[in-house]
Amino acid sequence: MSQISQLQSMDVATKRKEARTVIASSYLGSTIEYYDFLLYATAAAVVFPKVFFSGMDDWVGVVAAYGTFAAGYVARPLGGVIFGHFGDKLGRKGMLIVSMLVMGLASALIGLVPGASVAGPWGAVMLVVLRVFQGIAVGGEWGGAALMALEHSESGKRGFAASFVNAGAPSGAVLGTLIMGAFSALPNSQFLAWGWRVPFLLSFVLLAVGMFVRLKVSESPIFKAAIEQERAARNADSGLAGNNSAGKAVIPLLQVLRRPKTLIFTMLAGAAGFALQVVLATFAVTFAVSKGADRQGVLYAFAAASFISIAFVILGGRLSDKLGRRPVMIGGLVLFIAYLIPMFQLLSSNNILLVFVAFTIGLMIHSTLFGPLAAFVSEQFGTTSRYTGASLGYQLATLLGAGFTPGIVAQIFKDSGQDTGSVVFYLAAMSVVSIIFILLTREPKNNDLQTVRP
């Protein structure tokens, strides 16, 4: 029986059971990957300015640390292209295993990088190199995890299924922030000397867990069916033409670039969501601490708010199955624009409870945007180029929206005499741009994922 026939005849109960297994593994794997990737964000906010850029003015050191943070986002599109190419040619599962291995090793090695007092500027150089490998790994991870969840799910539940992959981001943030927060309770000298390194070294343990889970999942049935259908079509064309056209390679990246409007619109539609996400994880933490709030208290407040937001990411994905991806995403952006000024007022209160409220409301609003994003991006592309297209569109959005935003926002804040009004304007402008491009992008909720198209 062909893969296509198997896909059609598989009983509903079996398909649903397999879908639940894949969704659970995608969520766990994504959580581990984002623990590693976003742990760096926390460290860049509270540790790296003092360990790798000591001797500088406080906010200059913060900007420099955020510069190393940006390197990971610059590398994410490259990871999307590399892993996307092989994921579209060889399958989703294998690329997920490789991406997790790269991420785990790079993150653990960050915990071993010597500070400026030992290695001088070379410590920062090593930090950037390892951050690039982190970026390549997460650039490949997201697309594979999202597609595995999406392509195993029923058409009316794809937003819900794919949202679990994006829920891995706040889950990883919770785990990383709690562990970093626990070690930040050490005396400051010990925390800066070795305490911050332990959460990175724990990546070895999480890597073992993640690899065990990843090896258990099955390949995407839609991908296998599409590859068989494409191979059969090529063989038929070859037989009719009497030539060797079946051996011609199809390059997924070129398939995606033939429709550049889809890629560009997807990138700009998602950019603001990442800008708001990363500002909450980095600048907002630094800002609250600079206003006198206890560092450990701020980290725990962010962790608790991130934990609450996990449910809202999944709710956002579920709502998008009912209402459409675009209305839910636009609603989230509009609400966040309205919330920006109150958010910074709460963060500057020097009151941990109010700081917690600021993070909680911000992440709840953001989650309604973030939940549908995985399905919104992935559904824009055809099966045989979906890994490449979705990964590249999503990772370019992270580069544009998140890669440089912490550094830009910190610089704007510094140059304005530490006035949050200029920061609010910048973030609101980015949000308006994304709203425009979401409106210009077609609603993908009802697209047929089994159609093999570029």
Side-chain angles (χ1 to χ4, degrees), residues 150-338:
L150 199 77
E151 293 177 349
H152 276 86
S153 302
E154 301 172 39
S155 61
K157 298 180 180 179
R158 296 196 308 241
F160 174 73
S163 70
F164 279 86
V165 178
N166 276 7
S171 301
V174 170
L175 187 60
T177 307
L178 283 175
I179 294 176
M180 186 67 81
F183 281 93
S184 73
L186 290 166
N188 197 55
S189 59
Q190 294 182 35
F191 176 64
L192 295 178
W194 61 268
W196 68 269
R197 299 177 183 276
V198 178
F200 285 98
L201 295 174
L202 287 175
S203 296
F204 276 126
V205 178
L206 295 177
L207 173 61
V209 174
M211 293 292 283
F212 175 79
V213 171
R214 281 280 157 83
L215 290 168
K216 296 288 185 181
V217 301
S218 60
E219 182 58 87
S220 159
I222 287 179
F223 170 77
K224 290 190 292 185
I227 290 299
E228 182 176 308
Q229 181 180 336
E230 187 179 70
R231 186 183 298 117
R234 286 189 198 168
N235 289 338
D237 290 344
S238 177
L240 289 172
N243 57 31
N244 194 34
S245 63
K248 293 181 180 179
V250 176
I251 301 175
L253 180 60
L254 295 182
Q255 286 184 291
V256 172
L257 294 180
R258 289 193 188 106
R259 300 168 63 225
K261 186 175 81 169
T262 301
L263 185 64
I264 293 169
F265 280 24
T266 300
M267 172 185 70
L268 293 170
F274 292 107
L276 299 173
Q277 178 191 51
V278 79
V279 163
L280 286 166
T282 57
F283 178 79
V285 171
T286 307
F287 176 77
V289 172
S290 74
K291 293 298 182 180
D294 174 67
R295 178 181 62 199
Q296 186 183 31
V298 171
L299 290 176
Y300 282 151
F302 180 74
S306 296
F307 179 76
I308 293 170
S309 75
I310 295 168
F312 285 87
V313 173
I314 297 169
L315 176 62
R318 192 72 187 95
L319 280 175
S320 75
D321 284 329
K322 301 293 185 182
L323 306 177
R325 318 298 184 217
R326 297 194 308 167
V328 178
M329 293 170 67
I330 291 171
L333 284 169
V334 170
L335 287 173
F336 212 112
I337 291 172

Side-chain angles (χ1 to χ4, degrees), residues 77 81 252-271 376-377 380-381 385-397 400 437 441-442:
V81 171
L253 180 60
L254 295 182
Q255 286 184 291
V256 172
L257 294 180
R258 289 193 188 106
R259 300 168 63 225
K261 186 175 81 169
T262 301
L263 185 64
I264 293 169
F265 280 24
T266 300
M267 172 185 70
L268 293 170
F376 174 82
V377 173
Q380 305 288 341
F381 301 94
S385 62
R386 185 172 293 130
Y387 200 144
T388 301
S391 294
L392 191 55
Y394 191 90
Q395 303 310 333
L396 286 173
L400 181 63
F437 280 93
T441 305
R442 64 182 179 179

Side-chain angles (χ1 to χ4, degrees), residues 32-33 36-37 98-108 134 137-138:
I32 293 171
E33 291 267 351
D36 291 329
F37 194 74
V98 175
S99 69
M100 178 165 283
L101 182 63
V102 173
M103 174 63 85
L105 293 176
S107 300
Q134 275 195 324
V138 83

